[in-house]
Structures are given as C-alpha cells and as structure tokens.
Amino acid sequence: MQYKRFSIECNKNYFARVYRCPDLFEFDLFDFTLHWHRDYEIVYIHSGSITIQKIDTKVTLKTGDVYFINSEEVHSYSIEDRDNLQFILINFPVR
C-alpha cells in the first residue's frame, strides 16, 4: 500500500514547527489521510477528541492527552467534531 510522505521544513532559526487547531482547518493545512514523515510528532489535545490510526493500532485521544508519533511511523487522523476540537501538533526533526 502506498502512503503519502510529507516533507516538513522547519525554519533554520527554530528547532520545531508548531501547528494549532482550529487554525489548521481554516487554511487547509491538515491532511487526515495515512502518511509518514521523518520528523517526530507530538500531539496535545486541549479540548475535544481525535483518533490516530497507525498500521496496527488505533488510539483515541481526549482532552488533556499527549501522544508521541515516531519518525517514519505511518499514521492518520480522524475527527468527528471539528467545532469542539482544539489541539497543538509539534513536529521536530530527527537530528
């Protein structure tokens, strides 16, 4: 099966790239399909819930949860209620 590979470019002045939701929805920056990237990813759920699907695991995160996604780990996101979801997603490169 083919998965999308994302290239996440961090600014040279910063170690990580931080995304905030709901801003991601407004600018169509968030892709929910199965994908992978070399960067590590940390997801913090401020409110609402989100489901992360990996090859062999499905995890539902709720308010207050933090989740780590390893480098090159195939994953996707599933969201049922965008209106009540707020989360922060941090990508930082493998060094």
Side-chain angles (χ1 to χ4, degrees), residues 5 35-40 69-75:
R5 179 182 188 276
H35 67 281
W36 64 275
H37 38 75
R38 285 193 35 80
D39 303 287
Y40 298 113
I69 298 172
N70 208 354
S71 173
E72 299 186 14
E73 190 168 28
V74 176
H75 61 284

Side-chain angles (χ1 to χ4, degrees), residues 53-65:
Q53 175 72 51
K54 300 193 302 187
I55 297 297
D56 58 352
T57 307
K58 187 184 241 184
V59 178
T60 298
L61 305 178
K62 297 180 180 174
T63 302
D65 288 344

Side-chain angles (χ1 to χ4, degrees), residues 3-91:
Y3 305 107
K4 289 184 182 179
R5 179 182 188 276
F6 286 115
S7 177
I8 300 169
E9 300 296 326
C10 291
N11 182 307
K12 293 178 184 178
N13 297 321
Y14 300 99
F15 178 69
R17 180 166 290 228
V18 178
Y19 300 96
R20 205 184 100 207
C21 172
D23 294 349
L24 291 171
F25 299 143
E26 293 171 19
F27 299 106
D28 292 326
L29 296 174
F30 198 64
D31 190 332
F32 303 109
T33 60
L34 282 170
H35 67 281
W36 64 275
H37 38 75
R38 285 193 35 80
D39 303 287
Y40 298 113
E41 189 162 290
I42 295 176
V43 182
Y44 165 71
I45 308 302
H46 179 71
S47 64
S49 67
I50 190 168
T51 299
I52 298 175
Q53 175 72 51
K54 300 193 302 187
I55 297 297
D56 58 352
T57 307
K58 187 184 241 184
V59 178
T60 298
L61 305 178
K62 297 180 180 174
T63 302
D65 288 344
V66 175
Y67 195 78
F68 176 82
I69 298 172
N70 208 354
S71 173
E72 299 186 14
E73 190 168 28
V74 176
H75 61 284
S76 68
Y77 294 93
S78 174
I79 297 170
E80 290 186 27
D81 185 5
R82 284 185 173 201
D83 294 335
N84 294 315
L85 178 64
Q86 293 183 15
F87 68 93
I88 296 173
L89 189 144
I90 304 168
N91 290 110

